[in-house]
Amino acid sequence: MKNGEIYVAEDLFKRMVRRNIISWTAMISGYTQNGLAERALDVFDKMMEEDSEVKPNWVTIMSVLPACAHSAALERGRKIHKFANEIGLGSNVSVQTALVAMYAKCGSLVEAHQCFDKIHQQKRNLIAWNTMIMAYASHGHGLESVSTFEDMIRVGVQPDTITFTGLLSGCSHSGLVDLGLKYFYCMTKSYFVEPEVQHYACVVDLLGRAGRLVEANNLINQMPMQAGPSVWGALLAACRKHRNLELAEAAAKKLFVLEPDNSGNFVLLSNMYAEVGMWKEVDNLRAMLKNRGMRKTPGCSWIEINGKAHMFLGGDTSHPQAKEIYMFLKELPEKIKGVGYVPDTSLVLHDVSKEEKEHNLSAHSEKLAIAFGLLNTRPGVVLRVTKNLRICVDCHTATKFISKIYGREIIVRDVNRFHHFLDGKCSCGDYW
């Protein structure tokens, strides 16, 4: 499993005459580490059903919880948490830390914080502190990331590279530019941690989000190591936000060499060209994608209802309730336009009519998932949606209005962070 030889591991496991908790756990953790979350959960269930002699230990629980986080399977995670308490493993520090990470990645920051609070202060190790700092950062709670970091320093725990990745990321998502720069420039002197590529990427992102693109570019040029895709990617995303086409082209040129198979970089630059009506350049980038045999990564979102995950692709019509979903979405724009929604069609690549652009926007995967959630849950239930890409500007705006007119809390986890929508507002404060 550690070498990615999944089929060999499966064959060996099948041929075992007797299986103990170590062999079961090896399969669960192996699937989790190889990104096969559903298989990890299936093996855990199979172990519980078929092997009454085997009793899960803390390593087993620790191994299966990240699978819940990866699949955004909050209800499954809660059941495993309850089970861990029942068998006396709920107070194990490693299990508690894994629970913090699981709840945070499933969108429930409140439960993550509750689990962290239950870890006795004297038993909170660096991993536990880092997990909580990263949890706050991913939800855009930069000040809480900072205060948690300061609490950690106060009790004498020495930070490491992961600590500063979380801390700087939290500052970036919350616009805490001066605070983030302060921590970055005193990493080595005050905390004896040498900045690595990921820290530079965080600071480029920090400066870029704030519109300080020249400073971000200068920082890249002064790096003591070669700037990797994460650094140039942060600059490209910032250029997209602040519409700096010249720097965007320079960053994209670097990325086309560093990660030639990443279609996302081509799409992002293509979006920028489309926004200013440079359709010839859009066509040139499409031709490059085609020549390299690449396809745009399809937008995909999923939502968990009653313990079952439902997945939607952009423009998907395969779901059993597709007719109802599209009927709902057809009527939605007029409802939310009445409270101030204006469709953002600037990123629809096709040089087509305004009506067609608005229609294309309505079929984005996160809108399909949210519509399905509204149709299949009772009023007041929190909707939790996970997306494989960054949520687009129009979906972000539309979701704010949806949360207001339907009186729902909607939590969207995209590739970068969490967005908590409630009463017409988002936790990111439109800074993302």
Side-chain angles (χ1 to χ4, degrees), residues 74 78 99-100 102-114 139 384 411 418 420:
L74 180 61
R78 283 173 174 158
L99 284 165
V100 173
M102 182 275 293
Y103 279 122
K105 288 176 181 176
C106 285
S108 183
L109 191 59
V110 170
E111 287 170 286
H113 186 261
Q114 288 170 350
H139 285 262
R384 302 174 192 274
I411 300 171
F418 282 87
H420 294 250

Side-chain angles (χ1 to χ4, degrees), residues 226-301:
Q226 184 179 353
S230 60
V231 175
W232 289 112
L235 182 63
L236 178 59
C239 289
R240 160 68 195 93
K241 180 182 178 183
H242 295 285
R243 295 174 168 83
N244 187 319
L245 192 53
E246 184 182 350
L247 262 183
E249 287 176 322
K253 189 176 178 181
K254 295 282 188 181
L255 288 164
F256 294 163
V257 174
L258 288 168
E259 41 181 23
D261 297 326
N262 185 347
S263 63
N265 299 320
F266 291 87
V267 172
L268 207 155
L269 184 60
S270 192
N271 285 346
M272 293 186 71
Y273 285 141
E275 193 171 12
V276 293
M278 295 171 67
W279 299 107
K280 184 180 177 182
E281 285 75 8
V282 171
D283 290 339
N284 288 340
L285 281 177
R286 283 185 185 169
M288 283 177 67
L289 278 171
K290 191 175 181 180
N291 291 337
R292 296 189 186 197
M294 289 191 292
R295 289 185 174 185
K296 177 184 173 182
T297 304
C300 173
S301 298

Side-chain angles (χ1 to χ4, degrees), residues 55-75:
K55 302 296 179 190
N57 59 25
W58 66 272
V59 183
T60 317
I61 302 298
M62 258 193 71
S63 300
V64 75
L65 284 171
C68 298
H70 185 269
S71 299
L74 180 61
E75 290 307 316

Side-chain angles (χ1 to χ4, degrees), residues 198-243:
Q198 65 266 30
H199 303 119
Y200 280 96
C202 286
V203 178
V204 169
D205 190 53
L206 177 83
L207 291 166
R209 285 175 189 272
R212 293 160 66 168
L213 299 175
V214 174
E215 287 177 69
N217 192 45
N218 289 341
L219 180 68
I220 295 173
N221 293 330
Q222 294 163 14
M223 284 175 62
M225 73 285 285
Q226 184 179 353
S230 60
V231 175
W232 289 112
L235 182 63
L236 178 59
C239 289
R240 160 68 195 93
K241 180 182 178 183
H242 295 285
R243 295 174 168 83

Side-chain angles (χ1 to χ4, degrees), residues 73-140:
L74 180 61
E75 290 307 316
R76 292 292 299 274
R78 283 173 174 158
K79 286 177 183 176
I80 292 169
H81 183 185
K82 184 181 177 183
F83 172 72
N85 286 337
E86 288 170 355
I87 61 173
L89 294 174
S91 59
N92 179 283
V93 175
S94 296
V95 170
Q96 288 174 317
T97 302
L99 284 165
V100 173
M102 182 275 293
Y103 279 122
K105 288 176 181 176
C106 285
S108 183
L109 191 59
V110 170
E111 287 170 286
H113 186 261
Q114 288 170 350
C115 289
F116 182 74
D117 278 349
K118 286 178 182 176
I119 304 173
H120 194 279
Q121 196 165 45
Q122 291 180 335
K123 291 184 179 180
R124 285 179 190 164
N125 56 23
L126 178 60
I127 298 171
W129 284 104
N130 282 351
T131 302
M132 198 64 232
I133 290 168
M134 292 290 280
Y136 280 129
S138 67
H139 285 262

Side-chain angles (χ1 to χ4, degrees), residues 136-428:
Y136 280 129
S138 67
H139 285 262
H141 291 254
L143 287 173
E144 286 83 352
S145 281
V146 169
S147 64
T148 304
F149 172 80
E150 292 295 349
D151 287 344
M152 183 186 86
I153 298 301
R154 208 171 290 119
V155 297
V157 177
Q158 171 67 23
D160 65 358
T161 58
I162 297 171
T163 315
F164 279 97
T165 301
L167 180 64
L168 294 171
S169 175
C171 290
S172 176
H173 286 307
S174 300
L176 304 174
V177 183
D178 293 337
L179 204 51
L181 290 173
K182 184 197 88 169
Y183 283 119
F184 176 69
Y185 286 116
C186 72
M187 277 175 66
T188 306
K189 187 177 178 181
S190 300
Y191 304 103
F192 313 106
V193 178
E194 287 293 329
E196 296 180 6
V197 172
Q198 65 266 30
H199 303 119
Y200 280 96
C202 286
V203 178
V204 169
D205 190 53
L206 177 83
L207 291 166
R209 285 175 189 272
R212 293 160 66 168
L213 299 175
V214 174
E215 287 177 69
N217 192 45
N218 289 341
L219 180 68
I220 295 173
N221 293 330
Q222 294 163 14
M223 284 175 62
M225 73 285 285
Q226 184 179 353
S230 60
V231 175
W232 289 112
L235 182 63
L236 178 59
C239 289
R240 160 68 195 93
K241 180 182 178 183
H242 295 285
R243 295 174 168 83
N244 187 319
L245 192 53
E246 184 182 350
L247 262 183
E249 287 176 322
K253 189 176 178 181
K254 295 282 188 181
L255 288 164
F256 294 163
V257 174
L258 288 168
E259 41 181 23
D261 297 326
N262 185 347
S263 63
N265 299 320
F266 291 87
V267 172
L268 207 155
L269 184 60
S270 192
N271 285 346
M272 293 186 71
Y273 285 141
E275 193 171 12
V276 293
M278 295 171 67
W279 299 107
K280 184 180 177 182
E281 285 75 8
V282 171
D283 290 339
N284 288 340
L285 281 177
R286 283 185 185 169
M288 283 177 67
L289 278 171
K290 191 175 181 180
N291 291 337
R292 296 189 186 197
M294 289 191 292
R295 289 185 174 185
K296 177 184 173 182
T297 304
C300 173
S301 298
W302 58 99
I303 183 169
E304 185 186 20
I305 304 290
N306 298 324
K308 184 182 176 183
H310 298 262
M311 190 180 81
F312 298 88
L313 292 170
D316 196 354
T317 57
S318 63
H319 194 277
Q321 286 184 248
K323 189 176 179 181
E324 290 176 69
I325 292 167
Y326 278 96
M327 186 65 71
F328 178 90
L329 290 173
K330 187 179 179 182
E331 298 170 355
L332 181 65
E334 291 308 314
K335 287 185 178 179
I336 57 179
K337 279 178 183 177
V339 288
Y341 166 69
V342 178
D344 186 338
T345 59
S346 61
L347 292 186
V348 180
L349 289 183
H350 305 290
D351 191 10
V352 295
S353 70
K354 182 182 175 184
E355 290 73 20
E356 287 176 280
K357 288 185 178 185
E358 289 188 21
H359 175 73
N360 289 340
L361 288 172
S362 70
H364 282 193
S365 65
E366 55 268 59
K367 285 198 181 90
L368 297 175
I370 291 168
F372 175 78
L374 290 170
L375 289 168
N376 289 276
T377 57
R378 65 184 185 277
V381 171
V382 177
L383 302 182
R384 302 174 192 274
V385 174
T386 304
K387 182 169 182 176
N388 67 330
L389 303 173
R390 185 177 184 268
I391 186 173
C392 81
V393 174
D394 182 75
C395 286
H396 188 271
T397 302
T399 306
K400 286 195 293 183
F401 286 108
I402 292 168
S403 73
K404 185 177 181 68
I405 66 171
Y406 288 96
R408 293 289 193 104
E409 181 178 1
I410 303 170
I411 300 171
V412 178
R413 167 189 171 186
D414 73 5
V415 71
N416 290 332
R417 57 167 296 158
F418 282 87
H419 296 267
H420 294 250
F421 299 93
L422 183 65
D423 195 29
K425 297 176 184 175
C426 179
S427 59
C428 73

